[in-house]
Amino acid sequence: MCGIVCYIGEAQCSHIILDALKRLEYRGYDSAGIAVHGTESISVIRAEGKLAKLDAALAANPLLGTVGIGHTRWATHGKPSETNAHPHLVDGIAVVHNGILENHLELKRQLEQEGAQFSSETDTEILAHLIARELPGASSLMAAVRASLKDVQGSYAIAVLSSAEPDRIIVAKNASPLVLGLGDGEMFAASDIPAILQHTNRVIFLDEREIACIDAQGAVIETLDGDEVAREPRTITWSPVQAEKGGFKHFMLKEIHEQPRAVEDTLRGRVSVETGDVASELIGLDDIGARRIRRVVLLACGTSYHAALVGRYWIESLAQVPAEVELASEYRARRPLVDPNDLIVGVSQSGETIDTLEALKVAKAGAARVLAISNVLDSAIPRMSDGALYTHAGPEIGVASTKCFTAQLAALFLIAMYLGRRRDTLSPDKARDLLESLLEVPAMMREVLKKDEVVADTARRYAGARDFLFLGRSLSFPIALEGALKLKEISYIHAEGYAGGEMKHGPIALIDENMPVVVVMPNDTSFDRILGNVQEALARGGKVIAIVTENSPHIDALGIETIEIPACPEELAPLITVLPLQLLAYHVADFKGTDVDQPRNLAKTVTVE
Ligand code: AGP
């Protein structure tokens, strides 16, 4: 993972870079560093630990200069330490890198035989040695970087400084994200947009195997093969304030509370209650194309996978197309049978998750139509897809995904409705009713979010538990999985999500008086059966916390702890029931004092396999 940042212009850059790195810290945070062109040479400062350590190191030893690069690391090769932190400086060449060099052992052996001496355990240092080796015989730094990358296999987004060419930065990418930011007499580059949004909203995304030479006035972009690339800048509509905490203690809490707006924005302009339909350009399929689909396959990882599981129910019930969901990493690991009449949907908040990206490439090679659901404009997954349906959740900074999950649900619901209407499996009347209710979802979410304090109180009482069980049936099963994932990600408490029907097949053995059992049980067709699960858990001493629709029957008599949600059509319940689970995970973690926005061992965007 890791985050990289570059600045070139007239301002002193070390604090601009540090500030931008803080906005990328979600990508990795075990060490960090900055390299700046001083008057005569490149100076580097690195520190193990979070950026606060680098900040302190810079305060003690300021770096002066207006051209620089920075890095925040998530260790892949070599433990987190100052020597393994980037930038790596070799013979006046400083390099930062996000990605993994697959043939690093072979390259390192070769370089060592030629006399190179390595000071770190990283694969990145190889790049610095390769460029230093190429530079004397090359016509420019850009040519030296290009020549070095010829032998490199793997993923990289890199930025390179050379004391020989102090007025430029060379960047290049393959499989790891990199965006250029165009300022007024200054240029930026970064792994992600929020890093540079304070300074500019005009950006250019680099594509695979592209290289750029940046100076203060702009960038020359070429392919690694030397072809010119002419690409117009895009204007990003996210505001810098969206990337700030806005008075909340953590980004995650802010993002939980932003969900009504995220869903509203994702639906905006895409639905018509009057016609009972959703916008036709949504998935780029005309009526014939939509009718021709024989199967929908949803590919995703983590939280996006849970959204895809919900999407499968909707696609099958509303559009009556067989639908399958697969973990992207597993899909690509086998030889899946792909049919040209398949619609393959890649669900990815970041649009950069390597497993999802690679799985979609497999599907595309099988001539299937590929559709992306992503929150990041022009990221790798939408770029390689035949169509893209963007969620408009705004930047999500907390490592634990929340608002992008519900925005993904909204997008998946639209796809199911779109297909249902085109395939005549959804009547205009039913579609109108569903759309009317869908538009009421943000208001219902606001009602649930008012219960923040109630959930915090529950969380306080259970924060000491060692394990949690989450149960749900039907549409609530993926929500149980998501509740368990949220809790383990940020509180480090072991949690399992199970389908209620599976409880008797094993997990019931875990239940005793120490086991909180969170049951997602809105008033739907599975209600009576999940009520049975609650009774079984209670009979074994389990402490039940139930997410229920207000005024649900039989609940009061059980004397269990409840968090109520407003009544809504059962199809839409996942958009509502997940909110108390996100709040529960958040408050448990907050009481435990864990690092909510940057939980240990995780990174926001998983660009390594
Ligand atoms: C969610 O809280 C996670 N941190 C993680 O599971 C995430 O959903 C997963 O890595 C997929 O990311 P993507 O949506 O950006 O592809």
Side-chain angles (χ1 to χ4, degrees):
M1 265 86 56
C2 309
I4 69 175
V5 172
C6 311
Y7 174 86
I8 181 161
E10 297 200 338
Q12 286 299 321
C13 68
S14 60
H15 279 92
I16 295 176
I17 292 171
L18 186 69
D19 188 56
L21 287 176
K22 284 181 185 161
R23 294 165 211 280
L24 289 183
E25 212 177 2
Y26 69 85
R27 298 179 66 87
Y29 31 82
D30 58 46
S31 55
I34 290 187
V36 172
H37 266 300
T39 38
E40 282 165 16
S41 58
I42 296 172
S43 306
V44 174
I45 292 199
R46 304 183 293 184
E48 184 184 337
K50 293 198 163 193
L51 281 165
K53 295 270 177 56
L54 181 65
D55 203 352
L58 277 168
N61 189 5
L63 289 184
L64 295 180
T66 63
V67 181
I69 58 180
H71 187 270
T72 180
R73 180 167 188 250
W74 186 82
T76 55
H77 295 70
K79 61 183 181 298
S81 67
E82 191 179 324
T83 40
N84 286 333
H86 305 205
H88 291 281
L89 185 63
V90 173
D91 296 340
I93 306 284
V95 179
V96 292
H97 167 220
N98 167 31
I100 290 183
L101 305 188
E102 282 160 14
N103 56 340
H104 66 103
L105 290 176
E106 183 190 322
L107 292 171
K108 190 169 180 179
R109 202 174 313 118
Q110 217 174 17
L111 285 161
E112 279 174 337
Q113 276 163 6
E114 292 169 16
Q117 290 193 344
F118 284 81
S119 55
S120 78
E121 303 155 300
T122 65
D123 50 348
T124 305
E125 194 186 344
I126 292 165
L127 291 170
H129 281 282
L130 284 174
I131 299 166
R133 182 184 73 177
E134 296 294 334
L135 191 58
S139 55
S140 64
L141 177 60
M142 187 162 173
V145 175
R146 175 182 281 127
S148 308
L149 291 176
K150 204 164 42 64
D151 297 328
V152 165
Q153 288 156 17
S155 58
Y156 52 81
I158 58 167
V160 184
L161 291 184
S162 162
S163 46
E165 296 186 25
D167 55 349
R168 65 201 57 192
I169 301 172
I170 307 299
V171 295
K173 81 148 254 165
N174 184 46
S176 299
L178 196 63
V179 59
L180 307 182
L182 286 67
D184 197 6
E186 55 186 4
M187 285 287 292
F188 304 82
S191 300
D192 198 359
I193 300 163
I196 52 177
L197 212 49
Q198 292 290 105
H199 305 281
T200 181
N201 62 355
R202 294 180 63 234
V203 301
I204 296 178
F205 291 88
L206 285 198
D207 228 325
E208 304 316 340
R209 294 184 49 76
E210 285 182 351
I211 182 167
C213 177
I214 314 174
D215 64 22
Q217 305 311 320
V220 173
I221 308 174
E222 294 176 2
T223 66
L224 282 180
D225 297 328
D227 298 327
E228 252 177 57
V229 175
R231 187 167 303 138
E232 284 302 307
R234 306 278 302 243
T235 301
I236 299 297
T237 52
W238 297 350
S239 76
V241 177
Q242 282 182 295
E244 302 289 345
K245 281 189 202 150
F248 286 90
K249 186 171 176 189
H250 294 100
F251 279 113
M252 181 182 176
L253 187 59
K254 175 185 172 240
E255 288 158 4
I256 290 173
H257 281 270
E258 281 177 338
Q259 290 180 99
R261 202 260 322 131
V263 169
E264 269 161 4
D265 286 353
T266 300
L267 299 179
R268 197 180 307 286
R270 289 170 164 168
V271 301
S272 159
V273 176
E274 236 167 62
T275 60
D277 210 350
V278 298
S280 59
E281 76 277 11
L282 269 189
I283 63 173
L285 275 179
D286 58 14
D287 292 11
I288 299 172
R291 285 194 197 108
R292 195 178 290 144
I293 294 168
R294 292 282 161 270
R295 179 174 72 148
V296 178
V297 180
L298 301 126
L299 302 175
C301 305
T303 286
S304 298
Y305 171 73
H306 298 153
L309 287 172
V310 177
R312 173 175 65 184
Y313 283 84
W314 287 333
I315 290 166
E316 291 202 329
S317 63
L318 301 179
Q320 293 178 23
V321 195
E324 294 168 17
V325 187
E326 255 198 86
L327 291 167
S329 53
E330 288 301 312
Y331 183 84
R332 60 178 292 215
R334 55 190 180 81
R335 288 195 194 156
L337 295 176
V338 185
D339 187 283
N341 291 319
D342 284 346
L343 173 66
I344 312 284
V345 184
V347 188
S348 172
Q349 175 281 129
S350 61
E352 299 285 350
T353 299
I354 192 79
D355 281 325
T356 310
L357 182 66
E358 294 300 323
L360 292 175
K361 285 183 188 164
V362 171
K364 212 168 175 191
R369 185 176 176 80
V370 173
L371 170 70
I373 296 180
S374 174
N375 195 48
V376 181
L377 188 75
D378 270 357
S379 48
I381 290 173
R383 278 207 312 273
M384 65 77 64
S385 301
D386 301 305
L389 175 51
Y390 285 105
T391 50
H392 296 305
E396 189 177 68
I397 311 290
V399 164
S401 183
T402 52
K403 64 176 178 173
C404 285
F405 176 72
T406 41
Q408 286 169 345
L409 291 184
L412 285 159
F413 195 78
L414 293 183
I415 291 175
M417 292 214 53
Y418 179 86
L419 292 176
R421 292 292 284 114
R422 300 285 145 329
R423 297 167 70 89
D424 296 326
T425 53
L426 188 60
S427 71
D429 281 350
K430 170 79 177 161
R432 265 191 289 273
D433 287 352
L434 282 173
L435 286 179
E436 243 170 52
S437 305
L438 182 63
L439 294 178
E440 284 165 16
V441 161
M444 292 184 210
M445 290 175 133
R446 287 189 177 97
E447 284 308 306
V448 176
L449 292 170
K450 284 184 193 155
K451 298 184 196 281
D452 194 354
E453 275 307 305
V454 177
V455 184
D457 192 48
T458 305
R460 192 175 301 119
R461 276 176 286 113
Y462 289 97
R466 212 187 56 183
D467 308 279
F468 269 72
L469 194 60
F470 286 74
L471 297 178
R473 283 177 183 257
S474 176
L475 276 164
S476 297
F477 168 46
I479 301 305
L481 293 176
E482 175 60 8
L485 177 64
K486 284 288 89 80
L487 188 71
K488 57 190 152 193
E489 271 189 295
I490 57 169
S491 74
Y492 317 144
I493 294 176
H494 169 246
E496 298 273 1
Y498 265 98
E502 277 293 292
M503 196 169 109
K504 287 200 194 75
H505 300 284
I508 198 164
L510 296 170
I511 298 179
D512 62 14
E513 58 288 349
N514 298 317
M515 174 70 94
V517 184
V518 181
V519 188
V520 188
M521 47 187 304
N523 208 348
D524 60 14
T525 37
S526 301
F527 182 78
D528 289 342
R529 270 169 292 152
I530 195 103
L531 199 60
N533 290 129
V534 170
Q535 274 149 344
E536 288 153 9
L538 289 174
R540 282 150 188 90
K543 302 274 178 299
V544 173
I545 305 160
I547 313 302
V548 293
T549 308
E550 53 200 9
N551 304 320
S552 278
H554 315 301
I555 293 294
D556 288 350
L558 295 174
I560 54 174
E561 179 141 9
T562 58
I563 300 168
E564 291 189 335
I565 59 156
C568 68
E570 72 173 281
E571 290 92 340
L572 297 172
L575 283 145
I576 313 291
T577 49
V578 73
L579 270 56
L581 303 190
Q582 295 167 340
L583 286 171
L584 183 70
Y586 170 78
H587 287 296
V588 167
D590 191 34
F591 286 127
K592 289 191 72 182
T594 58
D595 193 340
V596 171
D597 284 331
Q598 294 171 351
R600 69 184 180 203
N601 305 340
L602 294 177
K604 181 77 182 159
T605 308
V606 183
T607 52
V608 293
E609 302 174 49

